[in-house]
Amino acid sequence: MGAVGVLGGIAVLGSSVVSLGKSLTPFPRPRPKAQLVTSGAYRLVRHPIYFGLLLAVLGISLLTFSPLRIVSTLLLGVFFDCKATREETWLLERYPDYSAYQKKVKKLLPYLY
């Protein structure tokens, strides 16, 4: 399970970066000329980079059988959830279609949350 999580997380992360293309930024605010991306991994979850990172970190936690790492993964999930909530404020301001996208696609965990 751990190895699947690590590999799956890396795949989601890589796919997300490719889908964003020139819109990719290390900052939470969208770039001035960025386009809203809703294809690729963004069809399944609104924040696939965070999901991919969480999946990979959970995989590492499972591979090492570390309860401390699992707790750390949960805390990282809370951090990403808070960060994504803030980012979505800016995305709603920037993209009129973002509200409809929010209603169709889950935030961090495909089909769940």
Side-chain angles (χ1 to χ4, degrees):
M1 289 284 286
V4 170
V6 172
L7 294 175
I10 290 170
V12 169
L13 182 59
S15 167
S16 304
V17 168
V18 169
S19 291
L20 275 180
K22 292 180 180 181
S23 296
L24 180 66
T25 177
F27 304 108
R29 269 189 201 265
R31 295 183 119 173
K33 295 183 181 183
Q35 300 295 315
L36 178 63
V37 176
T38 59
S39 59
Y42 291 86
R43 288 179 298 116
L44 303 173
V45 65
R46 295 193 311 262
H47 298 276
I49 292 176
Y50 298 160
F51 170 65
L53 287 169
L54 285 171
L55 190 58
V57 169
L58 179 61
I60 292 168
S61 299
L62 294 174
L63 278 172
T64 60
F65 299 106
S66 171
L68 181 58
R69 285 191 178 116
I70 291 173
V71 170
S72 297
T73 301
L74 293 173
L75 292 174
L76 184 63
V78 170
F79 170 76
F80 281 150
D81 184 46
C82 292
K83 187 172 185 238
T85 297
R86 180 62 189 124
E87 287 176 24
E88 291 194 336
T89 301
W90 291 320
L91 292 165
L92 283 164
E93 290 171 1
R94 179 76 188 276
Y95 303 107
D97 297 341
Y98 197 79
S99 181
Y101 174 60
Q102 278 182 309
K103 292 175 185 166
K104 290 191 298 189
V105 179
K106 299 295 183 183
K107 186 177 186 180
L108 284 174
L109 302 174
Y111 310 108
L112 298 174
Y113 175 77

